[in-house]
mmCIF file of all heavy atoms in Angstrom:
data_model
loop_
_atom_site.group_PDB
_atom_site.id
_atom_site.type_symbol
_atom_site.label_atom_id
_atom_site.label_comp_id
_atom_site.label_asym_id
_atom_site.label_seq_id
_atom_site.Cartn_x
_atom_site.Cartn_y
_atom_site.Cartn_z
ATOM 1 N N ARG X 268 231.155 268.898 100.285
ATOM 2 C CA ARG X 268 231.816 267.696 100.817
ATOM 3 C C ARG X 268 230.971 266.457 100.599
ATOM 4 O O ARG X 268 231.421 265.340 100.852
ATOM 5 C CB ARG X 268 232.080 267.864 102.305
ATOM 6 C CG ARG X 268 233.444 268.424 102.685
ATOM 7 C CD ARG X 268 233.812 269.678 101.956
ATOM 8 N NE ARG X 268 235.078 270.239 102.429
ATOM 9 C CZ ARG X 268 235.506 271.441 102.118
ATOM 10 N NH1 ARG X 268 234.769 272.211 101.323
ATOM 11 N NH2 ARG X 268 236.644 271.883 102.567
ATOM 12 N N SER X 269 229.752 266.666 100.129
ATOM 13 C CA SER X 269 228.864 265.550 99.830
ATOM 14 C C SER X 269 227.858 266.018 98.797
ATOM 15 O O SER X 269 227.649 267.218 98.616
ATOM 16 C CB SER X 269 228.143 265.060 101.088
ATOM 17 O OG SER X 269 227.332 266.089 101.625
ATOM 18 N N LYS X 270 227.209 265.063 98.140
ATOM 19 C CA LYS X 270 226.216 265.408 97.125
ATOM 20 C C LYS X 270 224.832 265.450 97.753
ATOM 21 O O LYS X 270 224.550 264.773 98.740
ATOM 22 C CB LYS X 270 226.244 264.420 95.971
ATOM 23 C CG LYS X 270 225.903 262.985 96.342
ATOM 24 C CD LYS X 270 226.046 262.078 95.139
ATOM 25 C CE LYS X 270 225.694 260.629 95.494
ATOM 26 N NZ LYS X 270 224.268 260.477 95.831
ATOM 27 N N ALA X 271 223.989 266.305 97.182
ATOM 28 C CA ALA X 271 222.625 266.407 97.681
ATOM 29 C C ALA X 271 221.820 265.181 97.271
ATOM 30 O O ALA X 271 222.161 264.469 96.324
ATOM 31 C CB ALA X 271 221.974 267.676 97.134
ATOM 32 N N ASP X 272 220.758 264.913 98.016
ATOM 33 C CA ASP X 272 219.895 263.776 97.706
ATOM 34 C C ASP X 272 219.281 263.934 96.318
ATOM 35 O O ASP X 272 218.838 265.015 95.942
ATOM 36 C CB ASP X 272 218.780 263.656 98.751
ATOM 37 C CG ASP X 272 219.316 263.308 100.137
ATOM 38 O OD1 ASP X 272 220.436 262.768 100.202
ATOM 39 O OD2 ASP X 272 218.619 263.584 101.132
ATOM 40 N N GLY X 273 219.259 262.842 95.578
ATOM 41 C CA GLY X 273 218.635 262.859 94.261
ATOM 42 C C GLY X 273 219.505 263.392 93.151
ATOM 43 O O GLY X 273 219.033 263.592 92.044
ATOM 44 N N THR X 274 220.783 263.645 93.414
ATOM 45 C CA THR X 274 221.678 264.158 92.376
ATOM 46 C C THR X 274 223.018 263.449 92.454
ATOM 47 O O THR X 274 223.385 262.896 93.499
ATOM 48 C CB THR X 274 221.881 265.676 92.523
ATOM 49 O OG1 THR X 274 222.759 266.122 91.469
ATOM 50 C CG2 THR X 274 222.499 266.010 93.858
ATOM 51 N N PHE X 275 223.745 263.460 91.348
ATOM 52 C CA PHE X 275 225.058 262.836 91.295
ATOM 53 C C PHE X 275 226.159 263.883 91.158
ATOM 54 O O PHE X 275 227.273 263.574 90.759
ATOM 55 C CB PHE X 275 225.133 261.860 90.112
ATOM 56 C CG PHE X 275 224.158 260.713 90.222
ATOM 57 C CD1 PHE X 275 222.953 260.752 89.542
ATOM 58 C CD2 PHE X 275 224.441 259.617 91.012
ATOM 59 C CE1 PHE X 275 222.043 259.706 89.636
ATOM 60 C CE2 PHE X 275 223.545 258.568 91.118
ATOM 61 C CZ PHE X 275 222.350 258.604 90.437
ATOM 62 N N TYR X 276 225.841 265.141 91.490
ATOM 63 C CA TYR X 276 226.780 266.234 91.297
ATOM 64 C C TYR X 276 227.101 266.922 92.618
ATOM 65 O O TYR X 276 226.268 266.986 93.531
ATOM 66 C CB TYR X 276 226.223 267.245 90.295
ATOM 67 C CG TYR X 276 226.029 266.663 88.919
ATOM 68 C CD1 TYR X 276 224.805 266.123 88.538
ATOM 69 C CD2 TYR X 276 227.080 266.622 88.007
ATOM 70 C CE1 TYR X 276 224.622 265.569 87.283
ATOM 71 C CE2 TYR X 276 226.907 266.078 86.750
ATOM 72 C CZ TYR X 276 225.684 265.552 86.390
ATOM 73 O OH TYR X 276 225.524 264.998 85.149
ATOM 74 N N ILE X 277 228.306 267.469 92.688
ATOM 75 C CA ILE X 277 228.780 268.187 93.857
ATOM 76 C C ILE X 277 229.016 269.637 93.456
ATOM 77 O O ILE X 277 229.683 269.905 92.452
ATOM 78 C CB ILE X 277 230.086 267.555 94.384
ATOM 79 C CG1 ILE X 277 229.833 266.093 94.759
ATOM 80 C CG2 ILE X 277 230.632 268.337 95.578
ATOM 81 C CD1 ILE X 277 231.093 265.307 95.023
ATOM 82 N N PRO X 278 228.487 270.603 94.204
ATOM 83 C CA PRO X 278 228.624 272.010 93.810
ATOM 84 C C PRO X 278 229.975 272.597 94.195
ATOM 85 O O PRO X 278 230.529 272.311 95.258
ATOM 86 C CB PRO X 278 227.493 272.694 94.587
ATOM 87 C CG PRO X 278 227.329 271.847 95.808
ATOM 88 C CD PRO X 278 227.617 270.441 95.384
ATOM 89 N N VAL X 279 230.519 273.424 93.300
ATOM 90 C CA VAL X 279 231.702 274.241 93.569
ATOM 91 C C VAL X 279 231.311 275.668 93.237
ATOM 92 O O VAL X 279 230.861 275.958 92.127
ATOM 93 C CB VAL X 279 232.910 273.801 92.717
ATOM 94 C CG1 VAL X 279 234.109 274.703 92.982
ATOM 95 C CG2 VAL X 279 233.267 272.355 93.016
#
Side-chain angles (χ1 to χ4, degrees):
R268 267 51 175 192
S269 62
K270 62 184 180 66
D272 294 338
T274 180
F275 297 99
Y276 297 93
I277 300 168
V279 178

